[in-house]
Structures are given as C-alpha cells and as structure tokens.
Amino acid sequence: MPSSDPTPFDHNAALAACARGEQGALRRLYERENRFLMGVALRIVRSGALSAVRASARTVSVDEEVLDPVQDAEPQASPDMLDAFSMRSTLGQLEHCLERLDVAKRNCVLLAYLDGCTHAEIAERLSAPLGSVKAWIRRGMASLKACLA
C-alpha cells in the first residue's frame, strides 16, 4: 500500500537498487506495489501454462532409428508437463467457477485480484457503493472457495 510520504516513489531507482542486490529496495518496491503483483503473477502463470500445453501439442518428425528405442522405453511423464496439465485443469475449474458467479461479484473479484484494484477503485469503476463492493468480493471469494473445494 502506498505510504503517506509526499515525495514521489522513484521506481527506476528502486529497480536499479534491486539489480544491485539490495534487499531493502526489493522490500520497499514490494510494499509499494504488492496489490498489483497477484494479478501479474496470475497472468504469467496462465500464459506459461497455456504455452506449455500448446507446446506439448506440436508434432516432430523423427527417424525410425531414433524412435525405436524411445518407443520401447517405459513412458514417464515429466514433472513440468504434469505441472502444466495440473495448472490447466485448475484454471479450467476456476473459469467454470467464475462463470457461476453473478456479474457484479465476478467483476469485483477480477478487478481486485487480476487488476489489483482497491475496493474504493472498484466502487468508482462500477459506480457502486463501497459496502456493496466489499460484500460482493467477500461473497464471491466464498463462492469460489466452495466451488473449488
């Protein structure tokens, strides 16, 4: 959450300090921007999971000399592929559960957790009372938790 310090936060200086390995700079940057990080992380994970699934669907032609020993070997799934399929399954389940929410709850949850908006920012964007936004997020998250259990 942004501090009440009136001086503007210098993101470039903080990133440069992080690149130099200064842990305090990383902590300050995280404290300043943590509400946006969940949305960024989810976007990265969804993108990475989709890329892994798409990459696994590609076919490659192989000489029979190379293929025979591979076909005779015991098949083993790589941990990365298992993780990708597990992530895809979870994301599909999450998408299904999000679709079951009414529009107001779904929009509030997505704005809060993907876009990193505060409750007040969501209320402003949706032209809705702040108390309603808070309730929609709380109820939406409870519904998602129940659906995913």
Side-chain angles (χ1 to χ4, degrees):
M1 180 151 290
S3 67
S4 59
D5 186 4
T7 58
F9 187 79
D10 188 352
H11 287 86
N12 290 333
L15 289 173
C18 287
R20 291 190 303 268
E22 295 178 24
Q23 291 182 357
L26 181 58
R27 184 181 324 102
R28 287 188 303 277
L29 185 61
Y30 178 80
E31 288 171 355
R32 171 78 182 190
E33 302 298 335
N34 64 8
R35 64 186 175 127
F36 298 105
L37 294 177
M38 179 63 168
V40 172
L42 282 174
R43 286 185 187 112
I44 291 169
V45 170
R46 285 180 179 182
S47 176
L50 290 175
S51 296
V53 171
R54 288 182 185 131
S56 70
R58 294 184 184 134
T59 58
V60 178
S61 60
V62 178
D63 291 336
E64 284 192 35
E65 294 172 1
V66 175
L67 187 59
D68 288 337
V70 172
Q71 286 178 330
D72 294 337
E74 186 69 28
Q76 295 181 357
S78 77
D80 290 340
M81 289 305 294
L82 292 176
D83 289 343
F85 286 117
S86 174
M87 178 62 72
R88 182 175 184 199
S89 172
T90 302
L91 290 176
Q93 204 174 5
L94 177 60
E95 184 177 23
H96 168 74
C97 293
L98 281 168
E99 288 172 355
R100 293 178 55 185
L101 293 177
D102 62 63
V103 175
K105 289 177 189 165
R106 181 174 50 243
N107 287 342
C108 287
V109 167
L110 292 175
L111 285 170
Y113 290 95
L114 288 183
D115 291 346
C117 294
T118 65
H119 292 161
E121 291 170 335
I122 296 169
E124 185 178 319
R125 282 188 187 190
L126 300 180
S127 300
L130 181 60
S132 297
V133 167
K134 290 179 179 181
W136 291 335
I137 291 173
R138 185 177 55 254
R139 291 178 189 146
M141 291 304 292
S143 295
L144 289 175
K145 184 177 180 180
C147 181
L148 292 170

